[in-house]
Amino acid sequence: MRKIKWGIIGCGGIADRRTLPGMMLAENAQCYAVMDANKEAAERVKEKYGVRYAFTDFNELLKLDEIEAVYIASPVFAHKEQAYAAAKAKKHILLEKPLGLTLQDSIDIIELCEKEGVKLGVGLMMRYHAYHQAIKKLISDGVIGDIVSMRAQFTCWYPKIENCWRQDKSLSGGGALMDMGIHCIDLLQYVSGLEAVECTGYAYNQTFGYNADDSAAVIMRMSNGALAYVDSNFNIPDAAAKCPLEFYGTKGSITAVGTLAQEEGGTVEILAADDSAGYDAQQNRSLVQSRSIKVEFGNMYTKEIEAFSDAVINDTEPPVNGRNTILVQKVIDAIYNNNGGKL
């Protein structure tokens, strides 16, 4: 099987914790070079994964003819410059979310990649979770009827850390909403098959006092009239959060707990009801049938890398591309700029 040779730009953080271990399991990918501004980090990762080259300058990595694709996992403020350089070097790009600091930066990156004829994917790996794929199919098959309400919550405990770029909006593009809520907004749209057409909400710093939101809440009106709710926080202890993903329809509901995570897991419950029944003044809920679903867990990052590599090999559109994510960032941009409304 052909293997795409990858370069990693920004090999610390999520790349080292999750994406590189996932890439090592991919059948159609090979990590060929890594880059990090921190020389010790680059050399450590090179040795850890048996990579051929390590650099501290991404331009040096991009000069390697063997590399066909790059995964950019650097801080958000560096995304645009690095994506531009990679596109002009004719390297296909898998770029961590969010694409850019602002909606316009993201649009600029997409348009340049299209102009240069390179593929652009976005690191929204939770789409690949086995449960999320299964829920998407159940909803598409009409198991819970027409969607009337949805909710997603994704949180973590992220107290103030000195010189932390994620806690400075000028470097990250935003806080909890940009970092955590982006997954929720994307999943609600992707899994349901609906698009947000209007939104309102709040994003502010409640607890830690850094220059980014640690609390955010969003309400979206979807293309079928349903309402969707998103909660994202940096100020809820990890052990206290269930991070639910919920879908309610005219025939039942699907509730997932613990699936919004960096590893596949969690539980899913389906409640099915008779939508032909009349009004029940007693609101008897004992008639609802509950069942679970079985899936085979895997590695979301491996699936992400394999899917993008397949797109390069077969010259097809990446399954999670830049255009897919623009509507997500439109919602975030509207909340941050206090101009929620029609999208």
Side-chain angles (χ1 to χ4, degrees):
M1 176 181 287
R2 181 184 166 196
K3 290 193 174 187
I4 298 298
K5 288 185 171 65
W6 284 75
I8 312 298
I9 297 177
C11 65
I14 193 66
D16 184 23
R17 290 196 312 273
R18 298 294 183 184
T19 310
L20 270 165
M23 184 177 287
M24 295 299 115
L25 301 174
E27 294 183 355
N28 59 0
Q30 174 191 352
C31 184
Y32 196 72
V34 297
M35 171 270 160
D36 199 275
N38 184 318
K39 183 177 181 179
E40 291 183 358
E43 290 294 337
R44 176 182 57 79
V45 171
K46 173 180 176 288
E47 294 302 317
K48 180 178 179 180
Y49 297 102
V51 179
R52 181 169 295 190
Y53 297 102
F55 301 99
T56 55
D57 184 343
F58 63 86
N59 290 296
E60 293 301 311
L61 180 147
L62 294 173
K63 289 178 182 178
L64 295 176
D65 292 334
E66 296 91 339
I67 289 178
E68 293 183 71
V70 294
Y71 167 61
I72 300 177
S74 52
V76 183
F77 66 84
H79 281 190
K80 188 171 184 179
E81 178 188 10
Q82 294 172 348
Y84 267 42
K88 290 182 179 296
K90 304 299 183 184
K91 311 297 185 186
H92 301 294
I93 303 166
L94 175 60
L95 184 55
E96 264 303 335
K97 54 77 185 170
L99 288 180
L101 281 173
T102 65
L103 174 62
Q104 189 57 54
D105 279 352
S106 297
I107 292 172
D108 291 344
I109 291 169
I110 291 168
E111 290 180 346
L112 181 69
C113 288
E114 290 175 348
K115 178 183 176 182
E116 296 294 335
V118 300
K119 300 183 188 302
L120 175 65
V122 187
L124 292 164
M125 83 296 172
M126 290 189 191
R127 288 191 181 198
Y128 295 97
H129 193 300
Y131 269 145
H132 298 160
Q133 291 287 326
I135 294 170
K136 179 176 177 62
K137 186 175 187 310
L138 289 169
I139 290 174
S140 177
D141 289 345
V143 170
I144 62 170
D146 297 328
I147 298 293
V148 297
S149 180
M150 306 184 290
R151 180 183 177 225
Q153 181 193 60
F154 194 25
T155 69
C156 74
W157 182 251
Y158 204 28
K160 191 169 184 177
I161 302 170
E162 290 300 319
N163 300 316
C164 178
W165 63 266
R166 278 193 177 87
Q167 297 175 355
D168 184 343
K169 187 177 180 180
S170 67
L171 303 177
S172 63
L177 179 57
M178 184 69 96
D179 193 54
M180 314 286 279
I182 193 170
H183 283 294
C184 297
I185 297 167
D186 180 65
L187 280 176
L188 289 175
Q189 295 186 106
Y190 170 70
V191 173
S192 71
L194 303 171
E195 290 188 352
V197 296
E198 195 171 353
C199 71
T200 187
Y202 299 92
Y204 56 99
N205 191 283
Q206 179 182 9
T207 304
F208 294 125
Y210 41 66
N211 181 31
D213 48 296
D214 61 18
S215 306
V218 177
I219 303 175
M220 300 178 290
R221 186 171 65 86
M222 310 306 288
S223 49
N224 74 335
L227 293 179
Y229 306 85
V230 168
D231 303 312
S232 47
N233 296 76
F234 279 165
N235 52 4
I236 296 177
D238 297 303
K242 291 189 175 182
C243 295
L245 178 65
E246 305 169 352
F247 300 88
Y248 298 92
T250 54
K251 292 184 178 180
S253 65
I254 301 175
T255 303
V257 176
T259 62
L260 285 159
Q262 293 181 358
E263 291 183 337
E264 291 196 26
T267 60
V268 172
E269 182 183 36
I270 305 167
L271 297 178
D274 180 6
D275 65 335
S276 65
Y279 171 66
D280 179 6
Q282 300 299 321
Q283 297 186 354
N284 190 341
R285 304 185 193 279
S286 64
L287 300 178
V288 178
Q289 298 177 344
S290 173
R291 66 184 176 95
S292 59
I293 55 175
K294 292 183 178 181
V295 297
E296 184 176 342
F297 292 139
N299 185 308
M300 289 181 283
Y301 297 89
T302 301
K303 296 174 188 177
E304 177 182 54
I305 293 295
E306 287 186 334
F308 191 87
S309 296
D310 278 342
V312 174
I313 292 169
N314 299 312
D315 192 21
T316 56
E317 189 68 21
V320 190
N321 60 53
R323 293 288 178 187
N324 294 156
T325 63
I326 283 299
L327 189 54
V328 177
Q329 205 159 346
K330 279 185 177 181
V331 172
I332 294 170
D333 188 72
I335 301 304
Y336 280 153
N337 289 294
N338 297 313
N339 61 353
K342 291 185 178 180
L343 299 168

